[in-house]
Amino acid sequence: MGSVTSFFGGLCGKEVKIEEERLFRANDRPYNLSYQYANNAIRTSKYNVFTFLPLNLFEQFRRLANAYFMFLMVLQLIPQISSLSWFTTAVPLILVLSITAVKDASDDINRHTSDKQVNNRMVNILIDGELKKEKWMNVQVGDIIKLENNQFVTADLMLLSSSEPLNLVYVETAELDGETNLKVKQALTVTGDLGDSTDLLGHFNGEVRCEPPNNRLDKFKGTLSLDGQTYSLDNDKVLLRGCTLRNTEWCFGLVIFGGPDTKLMQNSGKTTFKRTSIDHLMNVLVLCIFGFLASMCTILAIGSAIWEVREGSVFTVFLPRDQGVGAGLTSFLSFWSYVIILNTVVPISLYVSVEIIRLGNSFYIDWDRKMYYPKNDTPAHARTTTLNEELGQIKYIFSDKTGTLTQNIMAFNKCSINGKAYGELFDFSGQRVEITEKTERLDFSWNQLADPKFIFHDHSLLETVKEANPEAQDFFRLLALCHTVMPEEKKEGELYYQAQSPDEGALVTAARNFGFVFRSRTPESITLVEMGKQVTYELLAVLDFNNVRKRMSVIVRSPEGKLTLYCKGADTIIYERLHPSCNKLKEVTTAHLNEYAGDGLRTLVLAYKDLDEEYMDKWRKRHHEASTAMDGREEMLDELYEEIEKDLQLLGATAVEDKLQDGVPQTIEQLAKADIKIWVLTGDKQETAENIGYSCNMLREEMKEIFVVTANTPEGVKEELVNARRKMCPESADEPSVISSRAGLFWLQKIERVEDEKVEGEYGLVINGHSLAFALEKDLHLELLRTACMCQTVICCRVTPLQKAQVVQLVKKYKQAITLAIGDGANDVSMIKAAHIGVGSVVRYGHAGRSLFRDGYSFAQFRYLQALRAGHALSYPMCKSYEYFFYKLHFHLVVQFLVTRFFCGFSHSPVGAANVDTVRDDGKDIADYQSFAAVGADLPADRHERGRILRQVHNHRAGGKKRRQFDFRLGTEVITVGCTCVRPSVIPQRP
Amino acid sequence: MVKEEKEIANRPDNTAFTQQRLPAWQPMLSAGIVIPGFVLIGLAFIGIGVALFVTSRSITVLEIDYTGIEKDSPCYKCSDSDAKNCVCNLVFSIDSLFEGPVFFYYGLSNYFQNYRKYAASRDDEQLSGDLDAFTAPSDSCSPYNYNSNDKPIVPCGAIANSMFNDTFVLYRVVNGAKQLVPLDGKGIAWWTDYNVKFRNPSVTPLKNAFNNTVKPIFWPKPAYQLDTSDPANNGFINQDFLVWMRRAALPDFRKLYRRITDGDYAKGLPAGNYSLTIAYNYPVVSFDGRKKVVFSNVSWMGGKNEFLGIAYLVVGSLCVLMSMVMLIVYAKFKFPEED
């Protein structure tokens, strides 16, 4: 479609030159208009009333099947050529065209209405220093607009100022990337100072220079020039269209991209059409058949010419020849007549039938209750009809972790306080009791502010807290104070926490239920309700978390005036900073931590430190100096933090369960049985990823070895990879054996593949982002591939979205295997697009990832993958349909060509009443194929087992070495030929 | 309550169709089914083949060529295209009783009734008695739609125009005296042709319908005078016309001319000498065609056709042979069952 419009655009000379850089000034419409940037109106519709018919027909005739039918119909309209009446082709063609047109039209009408609705939404624009309500579509680049809480972001904005302290803004990006947690954006201080003063904002005349419109959701590069100063802009300062403002009263933003240029729109619509391998095979076959048809028609035309000369010129008594029509012309005309009469040879109707089968199958996917998730009312949804038959041939699955394997719900599961572990249940004899759904839950009804959804089973912890055990109370006090969660209290007593990471939310919720309710926060204070009593702590400093520090601390002053530093962080980091007096406690806690890690829990260690007033005063002064310093601010702050976070007193440890989705281990086991390799590509840190690997059965204790690649140099990575390979397979060749071959249409495409290498026993591989970056380089990627493919399980941690896609492409390219990628967030899109089959794990029906999962499948739970793969794989029935088709083709062909032609003077008489034939054939074909497909898709056999066999059957057909199935099709061929011979003779002799 | 309803709004229906629980059956083509299956099919084919072959052998056929190319042929004089109203006499004898009912065919060879242009050269509207098509025959009849004076031809087209017009009279020669063998010309055409496809216009007398039209160029008499003895057997529903209009599928064909069922001949043609008087009108020599008369009786499987039986026998034996081959292959390369 795009090419059509650009084609027409090119005709009209309106081709817009490609934008290389965007430059505009705030509050300067005339200046900005000179660049002709798109305004904020969007148009997702394809047609209008006048263009619908021509454009839609053009679209439809670009499909080979329709064009071919049209061509046939034109031929049939020529009386000298026509052998069948034209309506045998016209009726089905018009039917197909009009059904498609009606569907397209209704789709387009829907798009028109939704466009209209979106374009007419109202927003406050600052015009001439005054706020005016305007329609979305009238917003221009360079306008300043005001957004209020819970409003949709109008366009891609540069954040100027907000109601929140530090110019923060919270946005929900579910619409854009499917992630439901809030994200924080922060304005530059210079612009933040403008506040909500329309006067100041009205005179804001910054000039923005930034990248041209693109579809990268996670990157933005630009600069703001203001009063001779230049400030750099990054993704943190940009609000994208499609997000929703949350927990922020108001904010002002400067429009950078409008309408079609926004990242949301840039991400939508451009779907790369994924074709299946059967499609490719089919195209090759059809081309061969066209060649075959042409040669047959040529033979027959030549035959016709010979007959005309030898017999026809004599047989004129009863059939006079037309004047001037020689044998040459007759044979030329009969060539085209044969094209018509032998059209059943060309499996164009098969294309239509196959489309219908696929469509039906995707309906079955949508309808399947086995893939319906009742908890959030989400049925599975097939957004593609073409990929169904590849589902049975998947060999590699690439999965995201968070939200895909796990629920992305963290649950406070266990803890260790002052050397005592809580969270397990024991019966009277001291045996550990399995916690199930039915296990009695703790009753938190004494606490009015408790979260009813919080579940905990161990009574002893609650009792300990209620006994006013000081360590336990400090433990939960710390959890309630040391975090970045935002509370939201819409009604008295109804608290909602907006957490940036679900871990934090889980911990704060735990504290809340155990009587340390985090109620509200200001930049200077945090208010808790401690065991029913309201307490306000003065917040002196926040030593925030980053990937290097791996810890977070707060310094607070209690109402009694006691100064305390509370710190939580990764065990290794905190342990380095503990006071020697806690060594004994440390040992006990370490034992607990190891236990937790073994269970696949995410752990944090908590510690505190009492501070004295005098030291604190000094430290605060230095802190203030450091944070206002122009040079080396970061280093100075780090140093200060380092200084104060030492000699900590160990409190205990928390264990948060990153809850696996139901049935994940079982599904993974079944997939592994079906010989499918699973690679987990996650942005999480190595420990977490490994934990999840264990808990969902991908890494197993009985694995011979799990290799961990963490080197930071190319040489190191290579060495580790080669060592791993040597261990698995000592006799493997040094150089990878890359087999070059040709494939595709006329074998024009060059392909390279790396053979699988056999390995005894099961291995796992864990590789981190740094190493992966080196391993994906040209000189190492084959090493990575060879080593990784020897392993049963591969876990890549700390990977960027780009690397995810690269990994998928690597496997796709060199293994020539069908890949499936499943993920739930924006960071998985590239991976999903790269893989043959994309699956979106969606949170909410109809909402999440509107821009993401354009084609492929979506459903709510990872475990449905198995149902999808085994239950709806179309390859087997599809192959059967194709086989049946070619069987039928033989039949027609032999009768039409070999038998009849030679007896009727090579004239194009159809066998039987051909118009009836055509209609009946088409109808029957579709019914036959459908029943074939339906029967094949509905074998009540053990589904995963069948899936495996399907893949093996396929592999065998694709030229695998082992012939596993005894092939009886030869026998069927004999019958075909036999029947064909018999058929003309059973045409009854006239009485 | 409302909330609950909303929550399951997207749940797919639980029906046998949507949940793919419709009953289905699929044959599993394992060796245990295919090999016996082939044997059974093969045996069935061989059985049918034997029955067909034996039946076909029991059918008697008597074919006599009367084209008259050879000098010693009684119709030699008639084969000259200049001869008009030529009559020739064909004498033949039957050794033993030719069991009845005997069918009397005429046969043509090297005659392409199935040639596309010939086959299309007719106007079905006209033949179904549509008077509009009488005045304006379809273009498909060209060049036999109008005569040189632009008068419409009825019935138009090459097929009708080339209607076979030799006539035959059969005599049994008993002691030198000729005894007429009655020929039955009723019910020799297809039922559908006679009752459905071909209709005379509902004009009485029939002749009036043909006003302002001309007869086909090669015809001696117009369509409403095809059978002077039986007024009901005229126009488009004349039996001989119907037989001719039903085109043959192959270039060597025979068409039913009469049945011999009446009186003394109901049991068949007794042994003895016969004389066939042929009114030789139809030219075939110019395109190397041949004409013949055929006497034949029929069985439950139709006329004599040895090929059909042989084809069944061959396919049946192939099936059995294949099953043997598969059995050997299976025994030799028996594959371990899938677990």
Side-chain angles (χ1 to χ4, degrees):
Chain A
M1 184 62 215
S3 62
V4 184
T5 32
S6 66
F7 173 68
F8 285 127
L11 276 187
C12 307
K14 276 201 282 187
E15 190 73 61
V16 185
K17 73 171 197 290
I18 295 157
E19 194 180 334
E20 277 171 5
E21 192 187 47
R22 178 160 286 219
L23 177 69
F24 62 91
R25 248 179 246 151
N27 287 321
D28 193 351
R29 272 200 178 182
Y31 175 77
N32 298 334
L33 280 177
S34 68
Y35 290 99
Q36 292 182 330
Y37 296 134
N39 67 9
N40 201 34
I42 56 161
R43 204 176 78 107
T44 55
S45 58
K46 283 181 179 177
Y47 317 109
N48 63 33
V49 181
F50 302 107
T51 58
F52 177 75
L53 210 59
L55 276 184
N56 188 263
L57 283 181
F58 180 77
E59 275 271 277
Q60 292 204 40
F61 280 120
R62 292 209 307 181
R63 307 192 55 184
L64 183 64
N66 291 342
Y68 178 74
F69 278 128
M70 191 66 193
F71 170 68
L72 274 188
M73 204 179 84
V74 170
L75 280 185
Q76 291 181 356
L77 285 173
I78 304 171
Q80 280 79 12
I81 289 175
S82 169
S83 44
L84 306 171
S85 81
W86 58 273
F87 59 77
T88 54
T89 312
V91 170
L93 179 65
I94 290 172
L95 211 71
V96 167
L97 289 183
S98 47
I99 291 174
T100 317
V102 166
K103 191 182 139 279
D104 286 352
S106 84
D107 284 357
D108 211 50
I109 288 171
N110 286 338
R111 280 194 288 263
H112 269 289
T113 35
S114 83
D115 284 355
K116 210 167 164 185
Q117 189 241 328
V118 170
N119 283 335
N120 286 330
R121 283 186 198 156
M122 302 303 274
V123 69
N124 281 316
I125 311 189
L126 193 68
I127 298 172
D128 304 328
E130 263 179 79
L131 278 177
K132 277 189 193 142
K133 282 243 177 225
E134 270 284 5
K135 287 180 180 166
W136 274 32
M137 59 182 181
N138 295 331
V139 172
Q140 301 277 358
V141 171
D143 285 353
I144 290 177
I145 58 177
K146 182 186 178 182
L147 296 175
E148 276 155 21
N149 200 10
N150 296 333
Q151 269 186 350
F152 282 112
V153 176
T154 315
D156 287 359
L157 305 176
M158 180 196 125
L159 185 61
L160 289 176
S161 62
S162 96
S163 57
E164 304 305 300
L166 302 171
N167 301 311
L168 292 179
V169 158
Y170 300 89
V171 284
E172 192 186 280
T173 56
E175 195 86 337
L176 204 60
D177 57 18
E179 291 176 23
T180 45
N181 57 318
L182 293 187
K183 297 204 173 59
V184 183
K185 305 276 175 177
Q186 188 174 24
L188 288 168
T189 333
V190 262
T191 60
D193 293 343
L194 301 169
D196 61 345
S197 144
T198 49
D199 196 39
L200 283 175
L201 284 166
H203 288 99
F204 176 71
N205 61 352
E207 196 174 87
V208 174
R209 197 180 277 274
C210 68
E211 59 186 14
N214 59 63
N215 59 4
R216 291 189 299 270
L217 289 172
D218 52 346
K219 275 215 180 72
F220 180 79
K221 228 163 61 190
T223 53
L224 169 75
S225 312
L226 185 66
D227 305 327
Q229 289 264 21
T230 317
Y231 306 89
S232 83
L233 300 173
D234 59 15
N235 198 36
D236 265 356
K237 305 185 171 48
V238 176
L239 300 179
L240 298 182
R241 182 176 177 141
C243 303
T244 321
L245 204 62
R246 298 276 185 221
N247 293 358
T248 312
E249 213 169 292
W250 52 259
C251 76
F252 281 90
L254 174 66
V255 178
I256 302 174
F257 301 123
D261 294 341
T262 57
K263 306 223 173 194
L264 175 70
M265 298 307 291
Q266 293 274 324
N267 257 310
S268 58
K270 276 181 213 149
T271 40
T272 46
F273 197 63
K274 287 182 179 174
R275 287 206 158 275
T276 64
S277 49
I278 291 186
D279 274 340
H280 284 297
L281 178 69
M282 191 67 200
N283 285 342
V284 174
L285 283 179
V286 166
L287 273 172
C288 295
I289 287 170
F290 265 119
F292 183 56
L293 174 72
S295 57
M296 265 198 312
C297 292
T298 312
I299 292 171
L300 290 169
I302 292 169
S304 154
I306 294 171
W307 189 88
E308 281 301 324
V309 172
R310 287 184 45 188
E311 310 257 348
S313 55
V314 187
F315 187 68
T316 51
V317 192
F318 304 114
L319 190 70
R321 302 289 121 158
D322 293 335
Q323 285 298 310
V325 177
L329 183 59
T330 316
S331 80
F332 174 76
L333 290 178
S334 66
F335 177 87
W336 296 108
S337 305
Y338 282 119
V339 171
I340 298 175
I341 218 164
L342 296 179
N343 78 72
T344 39
V345 172
V346 180
I348 289 295
S349 66
L350 186 62
Y351 276 116
V352 180
S353 311
V354 162
E355 280 299 304
I356 296 174
I357 296 176
R358 286 168 171 168
L359 188 71
N361 195 258
S362 34
F363 274 117
Y364 276 129
I365 290 174
D366 289 0
W367 288 334
D368 196 345
R369 280 200 160 195
K370 291 186 200 77
M371 294 196 283
Y372 169 73
Y373 190 52
K375 270 193 193 145
N376 53 12
D377 189 30
T378 309
H381 187 41
R383 274 160 228 251
T384 172
T385 54
T386 52
L387 300 176
N388 298 355
E389 70 248 23
E390 306 236 274
L391 286 172
Q393 304 156 28
I394 299 161
K395 224 182 152 189
Y396 290 88
I397 291 180
F398 299 89
S399 174
D400 178 39
K401 188 191 71 67
T402 318
T404 307
L405 294 176
T406 65
Q407 298 176 357
N408 205 14
I409 294 173
M410 306 292 168
F412 178 78
N413 199 289
K414 284 170 194 167
C415 62
S416 156
I417 302 173
N418 201 22
K420 189 169 181 321
Y422 300 92
E424 302 263 15
L425 287 185
F426 298 93
D427 61 13
F428 299 111
S429 57
Q431 286 288 312
R432 201 163 136 175
V433 180
E434 193 80 22
I435 291 172
T436 63
E437 292 269 307
K438 288 182 190 119
T439 315
E440 196 197 337
R441 296 172 184 178
L442 275 189
D443 179 20
F444 292 108
S445 55
W446 54 273
N447 180 352
Q448 293 193 342
L449 290 166
D451 183 348
K453 281 188 278 220
F454 182 79
I455 297 168
F456 204 78
H457 300 281
D458 190 355
H459 288 274
S460 57
L461 181 57
L462 189 54
E463 280 151 25
T464 315
V465 179
K466 280 188 172 169
E467 281 161 13
N469 175 313
E471 280 86 14
Q473 294 211 343
D474 256 352
F475 183 88
F476 286 113
R477 189 174 292 123
L478 187 154
L479 291 182
L481 288 171
C482 179
H483 55 77
T484 56
V485 172
M486 293 296 294
E488 201 175 359
E489 194 166 359
K490 284 179 182 151
K491 264 195 277 172
E492 180 69 27
E494 267 185 39
L495 268 175
Y496 292 98
Y497 291 143
Q498 292 289 359
Q500 281 194 54
S501 81
D503 301 60
E504 276 203 322
L507 293 176
V508 180
T509 308
R512 167 179 169 183
N513 278 43
F514 283 100
F516 286 79
V517 186
F518 165 60
R519 192 93 191 246
S520 65
R521 75 153 74 225
T522 68
E524 285 82 34
S525 72
I526 294 176
T527 306
L528 304 187
V529 180
E530 290 185 358
M531 307 311 283
K533 199 171 77 196
Q534 183 144 330
V535 187
T536 301
Y537 290 85
E538 190 185 335
L539 187 60
L540 299 177
V542 178
L543 289 61
D544 39 327
F545 179 90
N546 69 31
N547 284 335
V548 186
R549 282 166 42 76
K550 291 184 177 170
R551 61 188 186 270
M552 173 191 179
S553 304
V554 291
I555 302 172
V556 292
R557 178 185 282 132
S558 68
E560 296 91 51
K562 206 172 108 191
L563 281 173
T564 318
L565 177 140
Y566 290 110
C567 179
K568 68 173 182 189
D571 45 5
T572 46
I573 304 286
I574 304 275
Y575 276 7
E576 286 167 17
R577 290 168 177 79
L578 288 181
H579 195 267
S581 65
C582 345
N583 272 353
K584 217 170 165 194
L585 179 58
K586 197 162 110 183
E587 269 169 38
V588 186
T589 314
T590 309
H592 290 154
L593 281 172
N594 288 340
E595 208 176 287
Y596 298 154
D599 290 347
L601 304 174
R602 298 155 76 105
T603 56
L604 282 178
V605 172
L606 314 183
Y608 75 99
K609 181 187 181 182
D610 289 323
L611 300 168
D612 61 62
E613 197 73 41
E614 199 181 327
Y615 174 75
M616 191 59 208
D617 274 344
K618 278 190 214 148
W619 190 86
R620 280 184 82 183
K621 259 186 211 126
R622 284 161 59 204
H623 180 244
H624 181 74
E625 277 166 26
S627 53
T628 49
M630 287 313 289
D631 301 321
R633 186 194 299 173
E634 297 281 308
E635 291 80 31
M636 286 164 78
L637 282 175
D638 273 348
E639 217 170 280
L640 272 172
Y641 291 171
E642 199 68 35
E643 184 196 310
I644 201 163
E645 285 170 331
K646 66 179 183 196
D647 295 335
L648 303 173
Q649 295 292 325
L650 184 61
L651 256 178
T654 60
V656 170
E657 187 185 0
D658 186 0
K659 274 198 172 168
L660 281 185
Q661 291 185 0
D662 294 340
V664 167
Q666 292 86 324
T667 309
I668 284 176
E669 200 189 319
Q670 286 181 338
L671 292 175
K673 261 195 201 164
D675 231 358
I676 293 173
K677 294 191 170 165
I678 302 162
W679 296 33
V680 174
L681 309 175
T682 172
D684 272 316
K685 57 184 187 236
Q686 191 183 324
E687 294 80 24
T688 324
E690 273 178 57
N691 285 345
I692 292 295
Y694 277 109
S695 60
C696 62
N697 225 354
M698 275 197 286
L699 298 177
R700 288 178 289 272
E701 293 297 341
E702 67 264 23
M703 281 189 161
K704 278 197 180 164
E705 192 166 346
I706 290 157
F707 304 104
V708 180
V709 179
T710 51
N712 274 329
T713 56
E715 296 77 30
V717 173
K718 181 168 185 178
E719 204 187 312
E720 287 186 32
L721 286 173
V722 171
N723 284 345
R725 200 179 69 231
R726 291 252 173 278
K727 254 189 200 159
M728 284 188 280
C729 185
E731 65 270 23
S732 79
D734 280 341
E735 286 303 312
S737 53
V738 180
I739 301 163
S740 298
S741 56
R742 288 173 169 275
L745 207 53
F746 299 125
W747 289 265
L748 282 177
Q749 208 181 336
K750 268 189 196 169
I751 56 163
E752 293 173 306
R753 55 179 285 150
V754 178
E755 285 292 325
D756 282 337
E757 283 160 291
K758 276 269 163 252
V759 176
E760 287 296 318
E762 294 188 331
Y763 293 89
L765 177 74
V766 178
I767 182 164
N768 75 5
H770 282 295
S771 310
L772 193 63
F774 294 119
L776 285 172
E777 293 287 325
K778 238 199 152 49
D779 48 339
L780 278 182
H781 66 293
L782 286 181
E783 286 293 336
L784 170 72
L785 187 74
R786 289 176 75 195
T787 310
C789 287
M790 286 176 175
C791 300
Q792 198 66 35
T793 301
V794 178
I795 295 178
C796 305
C797 28
R798 288 257 176 258
V799 278
T800 62
L802 182 68
Q803 285 176 336
K804 286 186 180 186
Q806 282 174 332
V807 171
V808 175
Q809 269 153 358
L810 180 68
V811 173
K812 212 167 119 180
K813 185 172 171 201
Y814 287 105
K815 285 292 176 188
Q816 308 294 333
I818 304 295
T819 54
L820 178 147
I822 175 168
D824 71 324
N827 50 354
D828 306 318
V829 176
S830 51
M831 164 174 95
I832 287 172
K833 281 193 174 151
H836 291 101
I837 304 168
V839 178
S841 175
V842 295
V843 192
R844 270 180 294 158
Y845 179 62
H847 258 285
R850 204 174 54 169
S851 57
L852 298 188
F853 311 117
R854 283 261 156 193
D855 55 4
Y857 306 91
S858 66
F859 44 70
Q861 295 274 291
F862 182 79
R863 66 172 189 272
Y864 298 154
L865 195 58
Q866 185 57 19
L868 175 73
R869 204 184 61 80
H872 294 283
L874 255 187
S875 51
Y876 186 66
M878 212 61 135
C879 288
K880 281 279 157 219
S881 298
Y882 283 120
E883 274 173 14
Y884 175 64
F885 184 87
F886 285 103
Y887 159 81
K888 214 186 56 136
L889 186 146
H890 275 152
F891 208 99
H892 266 281
L893 190 75
V894 178
V895 176
Q896 281 276 8
F897 179 77
L898 292 179
V899 184
T900 326
R901 291 311 134 209
F902 290 97
F903 295 110
C904 64
F906 291 93
S907 74
H908 42 275
S909 302
V911 177
N915 47 355
V916 182
D917 237 36
T918 314
V919 172
R920 186 207 58 210
D921 267 9
D922 286 353
K924 196 170 72 66
D925 284 0
I926 291 171
D928 285 345
Y929 299 140
Q930 284 300 343
S931 54
F932 260 97
V935 168
D938 196 24
L939 276 187
D942 179 0
R943 293 203 157 184
H944 95 79
E945 199 62 16
R946 197 168 74 86
R948 185 166 68 90
I949 293 169
L950 281 189
R951 207 163 59 65
Q952 282 165 349
V953 169
H954 174 78
N955 287 348
H956 144 71
R957 284 198 187 136
K961 281 178 199 130
K962 273 191 202 162
R963 286 181 63 89
R964 282 176 164 275
Q965 270 209 336
F966 194 64
D967 207 326
F968 289 102
R969 268 173 298 162
L970 187 61
T972 341
E973 290 309 286
V974 173
I975 294 201
T976 315
V977 175
C979 293
T980 318
C981 293
V982 172
R983 182 172 157 175
S985 48
V986 292
I987 295 170
Q989 200 83 41
R990 295 256 347 286
Chain B
M1 206 56 222
V2 176
K3 200 180 173 214
E4 235 170 62
E5 262 171 38
K6 201 183 153 207
E7 269 177 0
I8 57 159
N10 293 318
R11 186 162 67 174
D13 296 333
N14 187 14
T15 63
F17 177 65
T18 55
Q19 300 309 309
Q20 293 190 276
R21 288 192 311 257
L22 291 175
W25 178 82
Q26 194 184 32
M28 282 292 160
L29 297 180
S30 63
I33 291 175
V34 172
I35 295 174
F38 260 66
V39 174
L40 284 180
I41 294 170
L43 291 180
F45 268 56
I46 290 173
I48 297 169
V50 168
L52 286 176
F53 191 70
V54 170
T55 318
S56 181
R57 290 300 286 266
S58 71
I59 294 172
T60 328
V61 177
L62 175 65
E63 274 189 16
I64 309 159
D65 189 304
Y66 70 96
T67 323
I69 308 274
E70 299 82 14
K71 285 219 168 97
D72 54 346
S73 164
C75 292
Y76 176 65
K77 60 177 181 358
C78 296
S79 64
D80 183 2
S81 56
D82 292 335
K84 288 269 172 337
N85 298 327
C86 180
V87 174
C88 55
N89 238 346
L90 206 64
V91 180
F92 61 95
S93 63
I94 294 170
D95 299 337
S96 56
L97 175 73
F98 201 117
E99 262 183 64
V102 180
F103 287 69
F104 178 8
Y105 304 88
Y106 60 88
L108 293 168
S109 337
N110 205 22
Y111 192 108
F112 291 86
Q113 266 208 318
N114 55 8
Y115 188 75
R116 172 72 188 166
K117 277 185 76 177
Y118 180 90
S121 182
R122 59 193 282 163
D123 185 351
D124 283 328
E125 307 238 313
Q126 199 183 60
L127 294 171
S128 66
D130 185 346
L131 281 173
D132 292 339
F134 274 54
T135 49
S138 150
D139 285 344
S140 61
C141 287
S142 171
Y144 298 113
N145 44 357
Y146 294 99
N147 74 353
S148 48
N149 299 328
D150 263 354
K151 287 255 186 173
I153 299 173
V154 179
C156 73
I159 312 179
N161 187 53
S162 60
M163 183 176 162
F164 187 76
N165 58 357
D166 285 2
T167 53
F168 308 92
V169 183
L170 181 64
Y171 298 99
R172 183 178 174 203
V173 184
V174 187
N175 305 327
K178 280 182 171 181
Q179 216 176 67
L180 187 70
V181 178
L183 300 176
D184 175 14
K186 284 208 177 74
I188 54 172
W190 282 26
W191 187 91
T192 42
D193 285 352
Y194 184 72
N195 290 292
V196 182
K197 208 175 173 192
F198 289 73
R199 302 276 75 190
N200 277 330
S202 47
V203 176
T204 41
L206 186 59
K207 184 176 182 295
N208 289 353
F210 290 80
N211 287 341
N212 288 321
T213 66
V214 292
K215 64 182 172 52
I217 294 157
F218 288 6
W219 285 22
K221 286 179 284 184
Y224 50 89
Q225 285 173 2
L226 280 175
D227 190 348
T228 42
S229 59
D230 180 5
N233 190 25
N234 270 311
F236 301 148
I237 55 167
N238 174 275
Q239 295 281 339
D240 290 323
F241 180 65
L242 292 177
V243 169
W244 182 254
M245 292 303 284
R246 170 80 24 203
R247 299 175 331 260
L250 301 175
D252 290 339
F253 60 88
R254 61 192 198 191
K255 285 174 181 285
L256 188 56
Y257 182 68
R258 293 290 183 267
R259 281 184 298 184
I260 304 169
T261 50
D262 288 345
D264 302 339
Y265 301 96
K267 290 216 176 80
L269 293 175
N273 291 324
Y274 290 85
S275 161
L276 186 68
T277 307
I278 303 163
Y280 193 115
N281 301 316
Y282 206 69
V284 293
V285 179
S286 66
F287 55 93
D288 285 341
R290 307 287 274 184
K291 301 198 282 189
K292 62 191 171 195
V293 288
V294 181
F295 296 93
S296 170
N297 47 20
V298 295
S299 68
W300 54 269
M301 56 160 281
K304 196 177 185 73
N305 188 345
E306 287 184 3
F307 174 80
L308 187 59
I310 292 169
Y312 267 99
L313 285 173
V314 169
V315 173
S317 350
L318 271 178
C319 282
V320 174
L321 189 72
M322 275 312 293
S323 68
M324 297 300 165
V325 172
M326 286 193 286
L327 192 67
I328 292 164
V329 173
Y330 181 66
K332 248 193 146 167
F333 308 99
K334 197 171 182 177
F335 302 102
E337 288 291 313
E338 286 284 345
D339 44 286

